[in-house]
Amino acid sequence: MKLIPVWLALLTLWLLAGCAGINSDIHVQTEADPALDLRNYRTYSWLASAEIVNDQQGNWEPPDLDADAEIRSVLSRELRARGMREVAREAQLVVAFAVGINTEVLEIVENPESKMYTLQNAPRAALVLVFIDPRTRHPVWVGTAVGDAKAGRSAAQVRKRID
């Protein structure tokens, strides 16, 4: 019986190692109501989504990708995997998310040749996900994912980062 936690830890490390690379810059944080038990929720519906960036040139969202639809698809897949189903009315859980990119973030970087520090533009993207209990109208779970935003990523790369 004591081997199970060791195998779970090794599996977790292996999965995390597989996420390094294109997603290694993404930092995820979650907060949940201490009384939350997602098994008590069987249905969900969408409250709304917000796209904060108006990206007409397609620098951040490739023209052949609808990031909102992609996020909804991934979230629906994960909720279904937990035994939930989407309904149009009277859902037990309401899901909302917002996406934004701050293109004016600056960071201090060292030039390897001159050993001098300079400011460099380092845009950041964020996804905020909220699960709301419609009976109480209070959030029961909140998650954020923040990572680097690089212009010109392919649709496949953006899909992988969203997933």
Side-chain angles (χ1 to χ4, degrees), residues 26-149:
I26 298 175
H27 301 283
V28 175
Q29 289 186 292
T30 63
E31 289 290 330
D33 181 330
L36 176 67
D37 185 354
L38 278 178
R39 293 175 297 192
N40 294 333
Y41 297 93
R42 297 322 245 160
T43 60
Y44 70 95
S45 65
W46 297 99
L47 176 62
S49 64
E51 186 172 347
I52 298 169
V53 175
N54 183 4
D55 183 23
Q56 296 189 5
Q57 285 77 35
N59 291 327
W60 310 105
E61 182 179 49
D64 56 340
L65 175 78
D66 180 349
D68 286 344
E70 196 69 30
I71 291 167
R72 282 180 186 245
S73 174
V74 168
L75 291 173
S76 288
R77 180 192 71 210
E78 294 301 319
L79 291 169
R80 283 192 310 271
R82 286 157 180 77
M84 299 181 74
R85 64 182 171 83
E86 184 177 350
V87 295
R89 296 184 306 144
E90 299 184 26
Q92 296 172 319
L93 190 68
V94 176
V95 180
F97 67 90
V99 179
I101 297 175
N102 184 346
T103 60
E104 298 177 10
V105 175
L106 297 174
E107 67 183 5
I108 298 173
V109 294
E110 181 182 12
N111 181 324
E113 295 171 10
S114 68
K115 301 295 184 198
M116 296 189 68
Y117 291 93
T118 60
L119 287 176
Q120 177 179 314
N121 184 258
R124 299 283 188 266
L127 167 66
V128 177
L129 174 61
V130 182
F131 293 166
I132 302 163
D133 185 321
R135 288 170 287 144
T136 64
R137 296 185 179 193
H138 290 105
V140 293
W141 187 92
V142 177
T144 61
V146 178
D148 298 336

